[in-house]
């Protein structure tokens, strides 16, 4: 009986973790993209929101 309770709790925790992961990834994809991106100290500005090309900014 104890093994059944542990399996049920593990299933519930796993379900909540999966729901959190899906919603968090949806928020990151929705809020991300465009704007200024930084990669190892270099600052890049994306010229097109739909494209994958970003030009380095001149300071």
């Amino acid at each position: 009986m104890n093994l059944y309770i542990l399996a049920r709790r593990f299933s519930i925790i796993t379900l909540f973790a999966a729901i959190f992961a899906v919603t968090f990834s949806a928020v990151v994809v929705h809020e991300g993209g465009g704007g200024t991106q930084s990669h190892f100290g270099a600052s890049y500005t994306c010229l097109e929101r739909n494209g994958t090309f970003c030009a380095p900014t001149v300071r």
Side-chain angles (χ1 to χ4, degrees):
M1 191 66 173
N2 288 338
L3 192 59
Y4 174 73
I5 293 172
L6 250 97
R8 186 176 63 188
R9 288 180 181 173
F10 181 72
S11 299
I12 292 170
I13 290 171
T14 305
L15 180 66
F16 280 125
I19 291 171
F20 173 76
V22 169
T23 54
F24 185 74
S25 65
V27 167
V28 168
V29 168
H30 180 68
E31 296 296 326
T36 302
Q37 298 177 355
S38 177
H39 184 68
F40 295 111
S43 183
Y44 293 91
T45 301
C46 292
L47 301 176
E48 287 187 40
R49 288 185 70 89
N50 297 333
T52 57
F53 178 74
C54 295
T57 57
V58 179
R59 294 183 188 200

